[in-house]
Amino acid sequence: MPRPQPRWITFSIDGREVRAPENSMLVDAAKHGDVEIPVFCYEPKLGQPVGACRMCLVEIEGIPKLQTGCSTPVKDGMVVYTQTERVKTAQQSVVEFLLINHPLDCPVCDKGGECPLQDITFGWGGGISRYIEPKRHFVKPLELSPLVAIDRERCILCYRCVRFSQEIAEDYQLVLVERGAESYVATFDGHPYVAPFSGNIVELCPVGALTSRPYRFRARPWDVEDAGSVCTFCPAQCNVSLTVRDERALRVLARENGEVDDGWLCDKGRFAYQSFHVDERITEPLLRDGGFLRPVSWERALAEAAAGLARAGARSGAIAGGQSTNEEGLLLSRLVREGLGSPHVDSRRAGPLPLELHRALGDPALQARTSDLEFAHAVLVLDADPVNDAPIFDLRLRKGARRHGLRLAVASAQPSSLDATAALSVRHAPGGGPALALALEAALSDGPDLESHAKAAGAHAAQVRALADLLRGAGGEEAATGGREIVILWGERFASAPNGAAGAAALLGIADALQMRDTEGAGLLEVPAHSNGRGLREAGVLPGVGPGLAPAPEVGGPGLPRDARSIADGLADGQLGALYLLHCDPLRDLPDRELWARALGAASMVVAHASFLTEAVREHADVVFPAEAYAEKEGTVVHPDGRLQRLRPAIARPGAVRGGWEVLAELALRLDLDLDANDGTTVSQALFDAVPFYAGLTLDEIGGRGVRWQERPAASAFPLPDGPPAREQLQPLPQDAEDLAGHRSVWDAQEVEFSPSLEFLFPHRELLRIERPLARAAAAGLPPAALEVVLVDPEQGLDALPR
Amino acid sequence: MAATSTPKLLFADIDEPGLHTRAVYERRGGYESLRKALAMSAEEVLAELEASGLRGRGGAGFSMGKKASFLPKGAMDKYLVCNADESEPGTFKDRELMQKTPHMLLEGIVIASYAAGANRGFIYIRGEYELQADILDAALAEARAAGYVGEDILGSGHSLSLVVHRGAGAYICGEETALLDSLEGKRGNPRLKPPFPANQGLYQGPTLINNVETLATVPAIVRMGGEQYAKLGAPGSTGTKLVSVSGHVQRPGNYEIELGIPSREIIYGLAGGPPEGRRVKCWFPGGSSAPVLTADDLDVPYDFDSMGKAGSMLGSGAIIVIDDSTPILAVALKVAKFYRHESCGKCTPCREGTNWTVKMLERIETGEATPMDLEIMASVQEHIIGNCLCVLGDAMAMPIGSMIAKFRDEFEAHIEAARASRGLGAAAGSETALAAQGAHEDDGRLAPQGAGAQAPGEHAGAPGTQKGGA
Amino acid sequence: MSARERDEALEEQLDTVLRSALAGRSRPVPRFEHGSRVPGWDEAVDLEKDPAEIPDPADTDVPPALRKEIEAHMERYPERRSAVLPALMAAQRLHGWCSPQALEQVACVMRVTPAYLESVASFYDMLETAPAGRHRVYVCTNISCSMRGADELYTAVRDAAAGDADFNVRAFECLGACDIAPMASVDGVYVGPLGPEDVPRLLDDARSGRPVLAEKQLAKRPVADPGANAGDQTAG
């Protein structure tokens, strides 16, 4: 769908000629002339202006009444005044009206010092008060949710928060009730406002009416610093600004980037900073000693890890989790391949995909941008659940559907939060995504296999046909000439499921049938299972794949390169000995928990680079390196759409925590491998040099907004496949298909579990309490009849019992 | 001009038994205008409406024909909404029409929808009018059965689906954009204009919104021809108008008059004037939103332009007469409280201004005010007027402002009397408002009950020193 | 004071203290005493509750008749949300007021959140957001009626119905019947002009289901305009 192309016009404001984009609202246009028009309710992110607060009244020549600058589009030749007596009187009166019911408790208000109401009162208010009647009173503050406190006395009824709830998040939980001067912001019948994006209302509030409970009274604006970075808690990689005081992150705010987050954050991104500073955080190297993990020096920990890994040598495996940076991934894969001579590195959750398919799916001409999700004619969400996979995409899709007429289609095994927004929702059997793609491909080419593929997918053929019609007809007649902009947002689990390769090939067929390659604004967008899934892949953390999706150098180790699951098999049956876990707890993050429990139990050496003593680390790690939180890291990550983004250290590392690249480099040295890692910049430079299609990049070029590598000349170095990928036959689905596809919501994560204010979101399970004979009673010198108490997760069943 | 000689376009034999049924309405020539209109082209009907000079009878007085012509041409869903949310205090004319001659309204709606090319219609009737809504529903069912409403009306190819939608008690829903929001199932908050409903109204589609009386007049215009209709009334205010007269008059009720007759003739001639021995103190010529006029203005011709020139407005055509037995403060308080209650709360000046005005008036009533509070009150009204999202704020500020201006002496006398009855001395009248309030503060006895418990900051310290204070 | 009385007094005191401690915020605060509050001034959320999303049809019982009525309303409009007002009215007729349960039922049928409905319901005067008597007596107290004795009428009705939970007596804004001022709408039927002497019969009629003040009903009143019924005077 055509994006607005601004035409520049000239208008006059306060007697000066100013150039501004035509039809931009006066308050925005005025900024081009360095004129500030005060606003409260105006927030372009919230959609159409509502003109409620009346703060932005200006005088326009030829119009008798004062007009709201927030809702008046600027035209060529318009003559605007913002400084006349009339305007000043109106502005002063609005400030006076707003303050008559405002408690003026600024000294004890969190917003004080960064409060638009304070600033505007100072700048545009009359300075005196004529109101002596009693003010409106509310009990304050009250809880609105576990995360947000509400002070209704301070509220100036600007409508921003309720507009967010109703028009952006579309959860319709936060509303205004009653009428007139008695209106106030509330939820239904005392229910808390709990929704994935609820925290945004705190940032939207132009007064201190909505405050963050975790941040309340922690700091004043003048004793904090802002530090920009990128949230790596999920693949959406929203740009954030951390509020830092005394080397502690006290708050996370959105750092608007239209090509990434559109200025919003999910509640996890906004509040999980608490996990940086909790007592549970690992801040020292740990070594298992007599069955217990005990703090040791770095020297000792590195030496033990190096010795253990060296003993296993080529019989080692390594897995990088999504919080790893590209640089860490690159160093880890070199350490394993070059230092240990083992080819067994992986970063994907499940299921290998042939290199040719990785290359075909990564074709720069096929990559959609994040903003395409909003401006496309149609988007198909295929086997992905944005609110659980990369929450901020959920808002983007809603925005597209609401504002730009985007036709949304959802194809998934589970009901999706987007169903209500979607023009069409197609359900398929668990693990049936690939078959559905084949069916859709058949439907688009009117091929004969539609019925059989749809059956294999567990979907209705008629629905698949409807889906094909929706995509083919998106945008109507107009789009037929200009090109139908269609985006398929697909989840990594789609290509990880059984038949993933066949599905991926079908996806490419669909892309061709819809002419995605030739259409600007169309393409594929993969949601990786981990935050930096894409970056780690491009850095070469895949079995048999080196940096830049080149074949990995032969390392001479035994057997074929193993993927994550096969590493587990190898450990369990003794073919592999050691395992390096970088930001990964296989018992939590990877499918087939039972296999992994056996694998970890059998491993001779498990080195974990981790922040928390989660189960695998607690029970199985022999050496634990304390890992950095993202706010402490330097390095780069890659957004799902190919945007390289830069992490910058915002706070100091706690305790003995060292940089991830440093630790890997140290460890490599002990394995007689010099990784040439002298500082963060050289490590990043090494990455840019290693990946041909990143060639020439610098950290400066990435800057604060990121760079999509596809938009740089070096993109031509991308290793395109030689021809269309080989087609694989559909195999019948195993019974437990969904388990194999394995999926974990981004909300079900350690940073949620370890953030006190978010704990309520962490899916707690009722644990069963079981008593059993203590197996090693004798060894422990206890009476043979001693019992031990264990807690069992009923979902995992008895298999999960610690052995 | 004798009142009885006024041509009755809307009220002719309105109490004829059974007029609310199709049979009687048709016997009296009902739905002939519709047939006539459907035989013409939509443009021709529109031209007749424009030629009639008919101005909207709901309050704003905008040319009906022009409004209908603003709708974009072409095939798309267009809407016609009949505004039957008659809630302006003192107004009850639409009620009479809907209750007694609902088919006249339906006929007008169908003709207007044909002229404007609208294919979906809604009658938004205030929820309190339950009887009238039931009658409309029944009439609509009859009209549908007779093919006056529905698909391919009388073989013309024009279709109109029509729904009677009942409101639920909110004055603001009489404001056209608030009505649209309410009809869409939302809170009745007015929308920003532009976009105007003609371009983006109901469900974002082009929408024509007209008052009941306006639409009910349409059949007569089609029957007579626009030019003939325009000969009635006064220049710029053509035709007949229903006037609701209430308050201190001997014969309150609805009257159909020709626009332009002297107001005195309506208030005294038709409605009988105030009770014996009473004089007109002031009167609202167009509902309680209109600035008040006094007995001096009784000879102003009752039409749109003359009322405007006299500093008020014709509004909905509701004359409320107040005689000299009623204190102006009581009138002001009623009016202000009403608008405070009905303010939707969306925009600041209206929400806070109506609330503040009521509080100030209450202080006057209880003897806690000084004459300088009148200055503040007058200035608050000025700050409301023209600065709000819709006209509701102005609807309070204009009459209150006019009362302060025209009855200042009475307000001041009341302030003095109320203070005296509380045993307080005369307030200084010549100092500045703030100084007056300072005095107010210093005098402990002046503090309202419980005021001692107010949080600091509400009663300011030294006046003039509170930078940015409220 | 006897020992027992003392015990009781102590208990009561303890009870108060306990309750305020439990509530955490219900201790009287002096600055709230002057009465400038709005309804819902202390409305807090219960963090133990789940967020109020669109009710799940599986665990929301909607009376079939109500569901049918709401669905019929939804069909009348191009967009189902337009049926919110008639749907809420229907639920109110059934439940007596827009109770949380009523809102949840409507929300379930209309597929909107109950908060959305609460926001709408609290905006309109005819929708009750607290329990109310089933007989509605709206006394118009706006300006025209007020000048003819509406305030006294309202007081009389209110006092006469005091204690009778069946009556919902409200002072209403202009009901659009100033020609019969002072007037009231009794269960939707307009009657007037009323004097204090009409009040007992008004309540009795409503209670017993008889037509309310039959001779004073607006429905039967001819138009005031003397020229209106003088034969066809149509011009042109």
Side-chain angles (χ1 to χ4, degrees):
Chain A
M1 163 164 333
R3 302 181 193 206
Q5 295 297 333
R7 195 173 77 90
W8 289 74
I9 51 92
T10 306
F11 76 113
S12 151
I13 186 158
D14 296 333
R16 281 185 300 130
E17 302 277 297
V18 171
R19 286 180 64 72
E22 186 179 35
N23 287 331
S24 57
M25 295 305 165
L26 270 182
V27 293
D28 295 326
K31 289 178 191 153
H32 292 276
D34 284 338
V35 174
E36 189 181 354
I37 300 174
V39 293
F40 289 112
C41 69
Y42 179 64
E43 169 52 72
K45 285 195 291 186
L46 292 172
Q48 290 298 311
V50 291
C53 74
R54 316 305 287 177
M55 192 61 231
C56 60
L57 290 169
V58 294
E59 201 171 332
I60 300 172
E61 226 169 70
I63 304 179
K65 276 174 77 170
L66 298 181
Q67 298 292 306
T68 44
C70 73
S71 67
T72 308
V74 68
K75 304 278 181 210
D76 195 46
M78 205 177 232
V79 181
V80 182
Y81 298 98
T82 71
Q83 303 290 327
T84 59
E85 267 319 299
R86 246 180 105 201
V87 173
K88 280 187 179 165
T89 309
Q91 288 169 337
Q92 285 177 7
S93 72
V94 172
V95 169
E96 181 178 36
F97 283 134
L98 284 172
L99 291 181
I100 65 177
N101 272 317
H102 188 82
L104 293 171
D105 54 353
C106 309
V108 293
C109 177
D110 256 353
K111 198 81 175 180
E114 52 180 17
C115 173
L117 183 61
Q118 265 187 342
D119 296 347
I120 291 174
T121 300
F122 191 76
W124 287 269
I128 57 157
S129 166
R130 303 181 296 172
Y131 184 82
I132 60 166
E133 282 79 6
K135 290 174 189 264
R136 219 159 73 120
H137 278 304
F138 289 99
V139 173
K140 60 183 243 179
L142 294 168
E143 290 155 337
L144 187 64
S145 79
L147 298 169
V148 181
I150 184 166
D151 182 326
R152 295 194 173 100
E153 291 188 348
R154 293 179 189 154
C155 175
I156 57 166
L157 295 167
C158 71
Y159 279 63
R160 282 188 181 199
C161 57
V162 296
R163 281 166 69 204
F164 175 81
S165 165
Q166 295 169 19
E167 290 170 34
I168 304 299
E170 296 182 342
D171 55 52
Y172 278 96
Q173 287 188 40
L174 196 66
V175 293
L176 271 172
V177 295
E178 299 299 330
R179 192 167 78 189
E182 298 191 342
S183 10
Y184 61 98
V185 172
T187 55
F188 170 66
D189 193 31
H191 290 263
Y193 179 39
V194 175
F197 306 98
S198 68
N200 288 298
I201 60 173
V202 173
E203 210 172 326
L204 284 170
C205 184
V207 295
L210 295 167
T211 45
S212 153
R213 291 184 62 199
Y215 180 66
R216 276 176 74 83
F217 308 127
R218 296 296 193 284
R220 304 305 310 245
W222 46 88
D223 48 37
V224 298
E225 289 172 293
D226 282 342
S229 192
V230 173
C231 171
T232 62
F233 285 149
C234 88
Q237 294 178 9
C238 299
N239 292 185
V240 293
S241 170
L242 293 115
T243 298
V244 179
R245 179 186 182 186
D246 298 340
E247 299 296 353
R248 285 172 72 92
L250 293 183
R251 179 171 69 171
V252 171
L253 300 174
R255 183 164 62 84
E256 184 166 357
N257 184 340
E259 279 297 331
V260 177
D261 47 45
D262 217 16
W264 307 117
L265 289 180
C266 71
D267 284 359
K268 174 171 142 172
R270 186 177 296 277
F271 294 105
Y273 68 87
Q274 289 185 309
S275 65
F276 304 159
H277 303 296
V278 289
D279 292 341
E280 290 91 336
R281 173 103 186 260
I282 305 171
T283 54
E284 296 163 291
L286 305 174
L287 181 68
R288 192 166 299 275
D289 176 9
F292 294 96
L293 286 170
R294 297 182 198 283
V296 292
S297 68
W298 271 106
E299 275 306 305
R300 175 92 194 276
L302 285 164
E304 292 284 345
L309 291 170
R311 268 197 300 279
R315 289 171 56 250
S316 303
I319 297 174
Q323 300 247 10
S324 320
T325 59
N326 303 331
E327 290 78 1
E328 287 169 336
L330 181 68
L331 294 178
L332 176 69
S333 60
R334 287 189 62 195
L335 182 143
V336 174
R337 286 178 181 140
E338 299 168 33
L340 298 170
S342 159
H344 312 307
V345 264
D346 200 2
S347 59
R348 274 163 58 93
R349 283 176 60 91
L353 206 57
L355 177 58
E356 283 300 288
L357 276 173
H358 277 302
R359 291 176 167 187
L361 290 166
D363 182 349
L366 264 182
Q367 307 300 299
R369 287 165 294 181
T370 310
S371 59
D372 292 336
L373 290 177
E374 176 186 339
F375 289 101
H377 291 111
V379 172
L380 167 62
V381 177
L382 178 60
D383 227 350
D385 183 14
V387 80
N388 284 312
D389 294 348
I392 224 69
F393 287 168
D394 179 88
L395 293 187
R396 252 320 155 94
L397 291 168
R398 287 175 192 277
K399 182 183 178 192
R402 193 179 50 253
R403 290 202 212 165
H404 307 305
L406 160 75
R407 300 267 288 163
L408 182 64
V410 176
S412 62
Q414 306 290 338
S416 159
S417 63
L418 287 168
D419 283 342
T421 311
L424 179 66
S425 289
V426 182
R427 286 289 103 80
H428 58 71
L436 188 97
L438 279 157
L440 177 60
E441 188 189 14
L444 285 169
S445 60
D446 297 312
D449 299 330
L450 167 60
E451 299 280 344
S452 64
H453 289 323
K455 190 157 179 275
H460 293 291
Q463 279 206 309
V464 179
R465 234 175 252 121
L467 178 58
D469 290 343
L470 186 151
L471 296 178
R472 270 191 299 217
E477 287 305 308
E478 290 162 41
T481 46
R484 293 191 201 286
E485 294 168 29
I486 296 166
V487 175
I488 298 181
L489 182 72
W490 59 285
E492 181 182 318
R493 74 182 97 141
F494 166 85
S496 310
N499 294 321
L507 198 54
L508 292 163
I510 295 169
D512 286 337
L514 296 169
Q515 283 117 34
M516 283 188 184
R517 250 173 255 275
D518 312 321
T519 313
E520 177 70 22
L524 304 175
L525 187 54
E526 178 191 359
V527 186
H530 294 305
S531 308
N532 192 28
R534 177 165 192 146
L536 291 173
R537 235 175 279 163
E538 290 176 354
V541 192
L542 282 182
V545 179
L549 297 183
E554 287 290 328
V555 293
L560 291 170
R562 290 169 180 263
D563 64 13
R565 189 188 173 81
S566 169
I567 290 174
D569 284 334
L571 288 167
D573 62 23
Q575 292 189 34
L576 296 187
L579 177 65
Y580 194 103
L581 296 169
L582 180 61
H583 291 293
C584 177
D585 178 336
L587 295 179
R588 274 176 173 250
D589 301 344
L590 302 181
D592 207 342
R593 190 183 146 84
E594 196 225 357
L595 167 66
W596 271 108
R598 275 191 286 123
L600 290 166
S604 60
M605 163 66 67
V606 177
V607 181
H609 211 123
S611 294
F612 294 100
L613 286 176
T614 54
E615 193 180 347
V617 183
R618 190 177 63 233
E619 303 292 335
H620 299 290
D622 298 294
V623 181
V624 180
F625 297 140
E628 294 166 293
Y630 82 74
E632 295 148 15
K633 277 188 177 181
E634 55 181 322
T636 59
V637 290
V638 183
H639 185 273
D641 77 356
R643 178 172 300 272
L644 276 103
Q645 303 206 87
R646 185 173 171 190
L647 302 182
R648 287 162 175 273
I651 51 176
R653 305 182 191 106
V657 177
R658 287 187 187 174
W661 61 266
E662 255 179 286
V663 177
L664 288 163
E666 277 282 320
L667 191 59
L669 279 178
R670 282 160 208 263
L671 295 167
D672 298 326
L673 172 67
D674 185 355
L675 292 173
D676 282 333
N678 301 322
D679 59 34
T681 314
T682 47
V683 177
S684 295
Q685 207 52 56
L687 171 80
F688 304 148
D689 294 341
V691 178
F693 47 90
Y694 294 172
L697 258 178
T698 60
L699 287 175
D700 281 348
E701 187 183 345
I702 294 173
R705 304 259 126 198
V707 176
R708 277 186 87 222
W709 63 257
Q710 294 95 333
E711 289 164 11
R712 301 176 69 253
S716 58
F718 185 83
L720 291 172
D722 297 331
R727 291 291 184 139
E728 288 183 19
Q729 284 293 311
L730 268 188
Q731 305 297 322
L733 287 179
Q735 285 299 309
D736 53 350
E738 177 68 343
D739 288 341
L740 288 176
H743 176 59
R744 198 180 171 90
S745 160
V746 298
W747 299 91
D748 182 5
Q750 61 179 25
E751 57 272 14
V752 174
E753 185 182 1
F754 290 106
S755 292
S757 70
L758 284 179
E759 216 192 335
F760 78 103
L761 281 177
F762 189 72
H764 286 283
R765 300 189 185 110
E766 289 290 322
L767 296 183
L768 292 176
R769 192 184 151 90
I770 290 179
E771 292 181 356
R772 65 171 183 186
L774 186 57
R776 285 167 298 178
L782 292 169
L787 295 176
E788 69 171 347
V789 175
V790 286
L791 296 175
V792 180
D793 182 343
E795 268 190 32
Q796 306 288 351
L798 289 174
D799 296 343
L801 270 184
R803 280 154 224 265
Chain B
M1 191 191 304
T4 45
S5 72
T6 307
K8 303 294 174 187
L9 302 183
L10 300 168
F11 270 0
D13 293 322
I14 191 155
D15 284 314
E16 179 166 339
L19 182 61
H20 63 280
T21 63
R22 179 169 71 89
V24 176
Y25 183 67
E26 279 181 349
R27 199 179 67 224
R28 293 180 38 84
Y31 287 112
E32 284 308 317
S33 296
L34 174 60
R35 288 176 204 281
K36 183 176 169 189
L38 291 177
M40 300 156 64
S41 72
E43 290 72 27
E44 285 167 344
V45 180
L46 210 51
E48 291 295 333
L49 291 177
E50 289 201 54
S52 75
L54 175 66
R55 291 174 67 169
R57 303 312 200 208
F62 194 80
S63 160
M64 191 263 173
K66 218 172 257 165
K67 206 169 176 180
S69 71
F70 285 158
L71 259 66
K73 307 285 176 273
M76 60 182 97
D77 269 341
K78 285 183 244 179
Y79 302 92
L80 182 144
V81 177
C82 168
N83 185 344
D85 190 69
E86 186 174 56
S87 352
E88 178 67 29
T91 317
F92 45 92
K93 62 192 175 69
D94 297 340
R95 185 204 74 205
E96 196 102 55
L97 285 175
M98 291 187 284
Q99 179 183 327
K100 296 180 172 170
T101 178
H103 284 284
M104 185 191 285
L105 172 61
L106 296 181
E107 186 178 6
I109 288 175
V110 181
I111 296 172
S113 75
Y114 175 66
N119 47 5
R120 295 202 80 125
F122 296 90
I123 301 176
Y124 186 104
I125 183 168
R126 64 180 298 190
E128 294 89 339
Y129 282 173
E130 295 176 44
L131 170 70
Q132 292 72 19
D134 290 344
I135 291 174
L136 274 177
D137 267 331
L140 180 56
E142 278 190 308
R144 228 181 252 131
Y148 296 135
V149 173
E151 294 294 311
D152 190 16
I153 296 166
L154 302 178
S156 65
H158 175 61
S159 299
L160 176 72
S161 72
L162 190 56
V163 171
V164 177
H165 180 92
R166 300 175 195 222
Y171 167 80
I172 188 63
C173 293
E175 198 279 336
E176 58 179 10
T177 57
L179 183 150
L180 294 177
D181 261 23
S182 177
L183 187 49
E184 289 178 6
K186 304 173 186 161
R187 290 158 69 85
N189 286 342
R191 303 175 180 173
L192 264 180
K193 289 192 265 190
F196 289 94
N199 292 317
Q200 245 181 66
L202 191 60
Y203 311 125
Q204 302 297 308
T207 307
L208 174 65
I209 308 174
N210 280 125
N211 169 259
V212 169
E213 186 189 345
T214 316
L215 288 164
T217 307
V218 169
I221 292 172
V222 171
R223 184 173 66 238
M224 300 162 67
E227 271 183 42
Q228 198 63 28
Y229 180 88
K231 288 180 185 161
L232 296 171
S237 297
T238 60
T240 65
K241 170 91 187 79
L242 301 187
V243 184
S244 305
V245 191
S246 67
H248 289 137
V249 290
Q250 301 189 23
R251 291 188 294 277
N254 285 318
Y255 300 91
E256 182 168 7
I257 58 129
E258 247 188 282
L259 285 167
I261 66 170
S263 306
R264 183 186 299 277
E265 205 160 304
I266 305 170
I267 294 171
Y268 282 91
L270 290 167
E276 286 299 317
R278 291 287 171 197
R279 288 181 304 110
V280 171
K281 174 177 187 163
C282 64
W283 54 293
F284 295 90
S288 68
S289 309
V292 293
L293 298 177
T294 63
D296 299 341
D297 305 308
L298 281 169
D299 291 313
V300 174
Y302 198 71
D303 63 59
F304 288 101
D305 300 335
S306 307
M307 280 300 150
K309 270 185 220 133
S312 188
M313 59 185 196
L314 189 89
S316 57
I319 297 179
I320 306 169
V321 179
I322 290 141
D323 72 17
D324 52 359
S325 67
T326 306
I328 196 71
L329 178 64
V331 179
L333 207 45
K334 270 285 171 204
V335 168
K337 278 185 173 169
F338 168 71
Y339 290 103
R340 173 176 71 171
H341 180 73
E342 300 296 349
S343 168
C344 80
K346 185 171 177 178
C347 81
T348 310
C350 172
R351 178 183 68 236
E352 305 295 345
T354 53
N355 194 24
W356 190 2
T357 302
V358 169
K359 287 181 174 178
M360 284 190 282
L361 286 166
E362 282 172 343
R363 275 198 296 119
I364 293 180
E365 194 180 32
T366 53
E368 292 162 30
T370 71
M372 282 304 119
D373 283 314
L374 285 177
E375 301 291 343
I376 299 178
M377 200 165 19
S379 119
V380 166
Q381 309 313 309
E382 278 166 27
H383 289 166
I384 295 173
I385 293 174
N387 290 343
C388 297
L389 180 67
C390 79
V391 292
L392 191 138
D394 294 17
M396 179 202 73
M398 292 196 305
I400 298 288
S402 72
M403 285 179 226
I404 298 171
K406 292 179 182 175
F407 295 93
R408 196 179 175 103
D409 295 347
E410 190 182 330
F411 276 110
E412 284 179 358
H414 190 101
I415 289 170
E416 292 306 318
R419 288 174 65 87
S421 76
R422 284 174 59 104
L424 307 172
S430 55
E431 295 165 37
T432 67
L434 286 165
Q437 277 171 23
H440 174 129
E441 276 244 337
D442 295 339
D443 187 344
R445 289 170 304 163
L446 275 175
Q449 232 180 346
Q454 283 167 9
E458 286 173 358
H459 276 266
T465 58
Q466 22 168 356
K467 264 281 181 201
Chain C
M1 192 187 266
S2 76
R4 198 173 141 220
E5 278 169 343
R6 209 166 40 237
D7 278 358
E8 276 175 3
L10 259 175
E11 213 162 274
E12 199 173 299
Q13 211 179 333
L14 193 66
D15 193 44
T16 318
V17 171
L18 264 178
R19 226 175 315 146
S20 73
L22 282 175
R25 57 176 86 88
S26 63
R27 237 171 322 126
V29 179
R31 71 194 178 89
F32 299 142
E33 293 293 285
H34 56 65
S36 181
R37 306 167 180 174
V38 303
W41 71 301
D42 57 349
E43 186 174 288
V45 303
D46 178 354
L47 293 183
E48 296 301 308
K49 287 186 179 178
D50 284 329
E53 293 166 346
I54 298 174
D56 183 354
D59 51 19
T60 312
D61 271 332
V62 186
L66 180 64
R67 173 185 295 277
K68 239 178 111 185
E69 188 174 353
I70 296 173
E71 281 169 352
H73 283 304
M74 289 198 289
E75 272 171 28
R76 293 162 70 213
Y77 299 93
E79 287 181 18
R80 67 191 156 85
R81 217 167 255 196
S82 280
V84 162
L85 284 186
L88 287 173
M89 279 293 189
Q92 176 163 299
R93 275 194 294 277
L94 182 71
H95 292 266
W97 63 292
C98 291
S99 61
Q101 190 196 9
L103 295 182
E104 270 168 3
Q105 292 175 354
V106 177
C108 177
V109 180
M110 295 197 69
R111 308 312 296 149
V112 295
T113 61
Y116 177 79
L117 297 176
E118 187 186 24
S119 161
V120 173
S122 61
F123 189 88
Y124 295 92
D125 285 340
M126 291 175 74
L127 294 167
E128 305 284 350
T129 47
R134 63 198 164 97
H135 291 301
R136 292 171 289 139
V137 183
Y138 300 161
V139 181
C140 173
T141 53
N142 207 296
I143 185 157
S144 294
C145 283
S146 169
M147 285 187 297
R148 288 174 162 258
D151 298 299
E152 296 75 16
L153 174 68
Y154 166 66
T155 317
V157 180
R158 192 192 59 198
D159 293 349
D164 189 337
D166 273 351
F167 280 96
N168 170 22
V169 181
R170 291 175 62 183
F172 231 71
E173 296 303 353
C174 185
L175 286 163
C178 321
D179 43 348
I180 53 168
M183 58 78 64
S185 165
V186 184
D187 289 330
V189 176
Y190 279 27
V191 286
L194 302 177
E197 69 284 359
D198 295 314
V199 173
R201 194 151 70 80
L202 182 152
L203 297 179
D204 265 358
D205 286 348
R207 248 184 226 118
S208 62
R210 279 191 302 273
V212 177
L213 298 176
E215 75 288 356
K216 292 210 168 187
Q217 291 192 1
L218 174 78
K220 297 174 181 144
R221 195 179 165 94
V223 74
D225 190 340
N229 294 306
D232 197 337
Q233 301 241 351
T234 310

